[in-house]
Amino acid sequence: MHESGEQRQGGHGSCYDSCYDCRKKCCWFLKKLVVFCFSQIGIVCLVVAYAFLGAAIFETLEEPKEELNRVVVGDLRNKSVKKLWKLNKELFLYEQKNWELAVQEVLLNFQKEIYVAVTEKGWDGRVEDYTGVSDWSFTGALLYSVTVITTIGYGNITPKTTMGRLVTILYAFIGIPLTMICLANVGHVLSISFKLLYRRLICSKKKKESSTASSDSSSKYLVTNQQVIKTETEDSEMVVITEDEGVKETHVPVYVCLLLVVAYILLGTALFSLWESWDPLTAGYFCFITLSTIGFGDVVPGHSLESWASQAKRITCALYLLFGLTLISMCFSLLVDEVQDKTRRFGRWIGLLKREGN
Amino acid sequence: SVTLGSCGDFGSRKCRVYSLSLVYRRDFWCGPAVGSMAGTSDENEQRLSADEEEEKEVGEEEEDDNSDDIVDDVESVKFNNGGRYSIGGEAEIILVGDHDEKTNNEEKTKRRRRPNCHCCLFCYNCCRCKKGKDGNDKSKKSKNDKKVKKQPSQVRNMSKSQRRKELCWMCCKKFTAFLFSHIGLCGLVIAYSIMGGFIFMSLESSQEMLERKSVDLSRKLQLERMWNITVDTLILGKQNWTYEMERVLKEFQTEIYEATKLRGWDGQSDTAEAQWSFPNSLLYSITVITTIGYGHIAPKTDQGKFVTIVYALVGIPITLLCLTNLGGFLGDCFRWFYKHVCLLTIWLCCPSQAKWTSERKRMSRTLTKGSHLPQTLPKKGKNDESLEKGELTGSHEDITMAMNAKLPKEQVRVPIFVSLMLIALYIFGGAILFSEWENWPWLDGAYFCFITLSTIGFGDLVPGMRSDSVANQEKLILCSFYLIFGLAIIAMCFDLMQEEVRAKFRWLGQKLGLIESRK
């Protein structure tokens, strides 16, 4: 008995310990998760998950309305036909001119209503018994979400329900800063890797130069964050360069970045003009308008006879978009120093800035 | 804290002058001209500041008449003693010793030093930077650049009255530079968009007339078909006739859809006023250069598309530059306004709580007088006051601190929610205005304003584009103005929120253990 009592006590103790351990592990795990979320990969995953979430939400909100619109347009058409029939019955003499006058009015009315259905109600131009992939399918909603959070905003499909519009506002309010942070981070990381790559490819000589540039006849105290790191030398010169100064010093020229962007636009042009059978100018125009986040939405890929093709096109468009913006963000990171330097020089040249006392 | 050691610390070298350059790491500025030091709200933190006179010699009886001001451009501060000094904020301090003994004598006579190279912080004899080489020459592109920097060598040897004149002249220069930069940019953007309006109007208006005519034509064709069908099939019965009519109408509706979506038809006949009128073209140009991109009208001609690309390539950077500048300027104005409103409320609520003024005075004490130094700065060690002149070997114990920092003039931190409130107010105001004017539901107005100001720009709702609305042109112009002002306000809020957001992220990072908390 005594043993079992002890065992029981021991059991209690170990149970308590395991609970405590469990809790600790949970906390640790949660903390790790949050830290991961804030890391580079975490933010990218967050954005992707956010886009998918938005796609699901908007699909549920807007697809019913889209189907409703088709029915409404069908009704409009039926009404017009009925009106015409009545006209026919009334006009006993089918004198062309009279008949035409009356029918013209009906037709004009019909035209106006269709126009309103297209622009204000968001009718997608399809008949009411359409069974294919709708505009607000999952892929369409995904493309829509991506255009919202990257502020491109095509507008070829837009939410028409009140709830949809409200959700768009909230979704954009959270999604835009998130995406901007993600793009900035990824662009920064890519720019560093690109600098390394560039340096390795071309500037191996510069590496040797830069390491000897600052060696000089003085010793330095390098103070970082209020901590003194003394780099004392005895006779020779030594200088402590910060860790990534080598990378910092690499200057990727402007034309390389521009070349990258132009190449990407040309790639998109080729892809979309082949796939959508647009003329090259339209495809190039689309790529440029997309990547500059202007996003008119007058030409958007995704219309095809086969449903799988149109879905694939929309996904391709979304991917192209995201990668393109990442590339542009990387070019910004690469160019920011150059641009600042050149702007300063320009400012000095036109006399806005005074010359430094050199 | 930093310990400026005696010359003995440098080994056998005889060191004369130590330059303490504050480099604000994030701005990549490598020279003595630095960005502002970010201060925290820690009250115990002292800031180094100095008056405007550079390299004031210790021991001179010159009166320090600017002792209570925190100055903008500080060239250098001299320390009399070595010792521990604390620098506020994030600062990377690189101490450069003057190494060459030969120059000792000349400098002894002149009692001034050539400034260090602005690129590598070494003195001129040693630095290898060539002029114009962009090796380390990075600077923060900010309004600091646009303000004129004083020339140390010029200002140094002038008398006081001359210095005042020089200051006045520099103030005037600053002012003109400011005028030119901010207002000039805004004028440039406005002129650019007006020019774009004219260009696009001329390019696209002919095409839209064609489009309208083609829709009219198609309607007439359908009419003819319907007549023929009526004549042919009516006798066959209602069923057939109805079926044929439906087919005709289906085709007609598809044509209307395509004309509207793909070819940019605006739903009007060709007698109505043109869609690509000047106000609409102006709105279009503005949506291009601000990257909003409504798409309610879009170029359909090839030239139009090509010109749009070129126009955007040039216009977007200019607009971004203008908005950034404008945002910074408006941010400063708002901070000033906010500070005074806060002061007013504090003064109204508790007149005795004027402690910030005393704090300011305390922080702005200069350091040129050696005896003041230990008082104004926290002492974190034993050997501050004990280090005296005699301990430093060499004949010149002046420790000059070249600090061209732009010290933040009591940088007012506007809380985030104030900036967000501003934006929200603007959106609500616009929502009320547009929903009233366009008979939209209130949510649609808010939706339009938000989509516009976030530069998403769907273009499904645009004021003045409904077929039955009146006063279209005025509405479009108003929309353009709303847009521009809204973006300026957003730029201002970005500027206001930057520091706060950064601080919050840093706090968050420290809490999560991502960033080690500094002590």
Side-chain angles (χ1 to χ4, degrees), chain A residues 30-97:
Chain A
L30 256 146
K31 194 176 177 204
K32 281 287 172 187
L33 187 70
V34 173
V35 170
F36 170 74
C37 273
F38 277 87
S39 71
Q40 314 281 5
I41 302 183
I43 291 188
V44 172
C45 291
L46 205 60
V47 169
V48 170
Y50 194 70
F52 276 104
L53 175 73
I57 293 178
F58 287 117
E59 185 189 3
T60 39
L61 284 174
E62 293 288 326
E63 195 162 15
K65 184 83 193 293
E66 196 182 357
E67 288 168 3
L68 194 69
N69 277 337
R70 293 191 205 131
V71 172
V72 163
V73 166
D75 280 344
L76 275 174
R77 201 177 57 240
N78 286 338
K79 258 197 285 184
S80 298
V81 172
K82 285 202 178 98
K83 256 192 250 176
L84 288 168
W85 176 250
K86 263 172 71 178
L87 272 176
N88 270 336
K89 282 175 79 174
E90 285 163 12
L91 295 171
F92 297 110
L93 303 165
Y94 300 123
E95 175 102 22
Q96 189 168 5
K97 280 217 179 77

Side-chain angles (χ1 to χ4, degrees), chain B residues 206-308:
Chain B
S206 49
Q207 176 73 15
E208 73 163 315
M209 287 305 178
L210 282 174
E211 193 51 48
R212 284 180 181 171
K213 286 203 173 78
S214 90
V215 169
D216 276 344
L217 198 66
S218 115
R219 197 176 62 241
K220 286 199 174 70
L221 275 172
Q222 300 295 349
L223 201 62
E224 283 243 7
R225 276 180 69 192
M226 286 161 78
W227 170 253
N228 291 337
I229 289 172
T230 311
V231 162
D232 292 338
T233 64
L234 193 59
I235 41 176
L236 298 174
K238 186 179 179 184
Q239 207 75 325
N240 286 340
W241 183 89
T242 308
Y243 176 74
E244 292 293 321
M245 279 302 194
E246 278 235 8
R247 239 185 44 188
V248 168
L249 284 183
K250 264 191 192 170
E251 281 179 30
F252 187 53
Q253 85 186 15
T254 313
E255 263 197 55
I256 303 253
Y257 174 78
E258 277 172 14
T260 312
K261 280 282 184 164
L262 302 177
R263 296 194 295 269
W265 181 55
D266 63 339
Q268 311 280 354
S269 65
D270 56 352
T271 50
E273 60 185 8
Q275 195 182 13
W276 282 93
S277 58
F278 179 71
N280 218 355
S281 309
L282 181 68
L283 182 63
Y284 172 76
S285 319
I286 292 179
T287 59
V288 167
I289 58 178
T290 53
T291 78
I292 294 180
Y294 278 140
H296 66 300
I297 51 172
K300 297 296 169 199
T301 59
D302 280 350
Q303 306 100 290
K305 290 178 178 173
F306 185 70
V307 171
T308 302

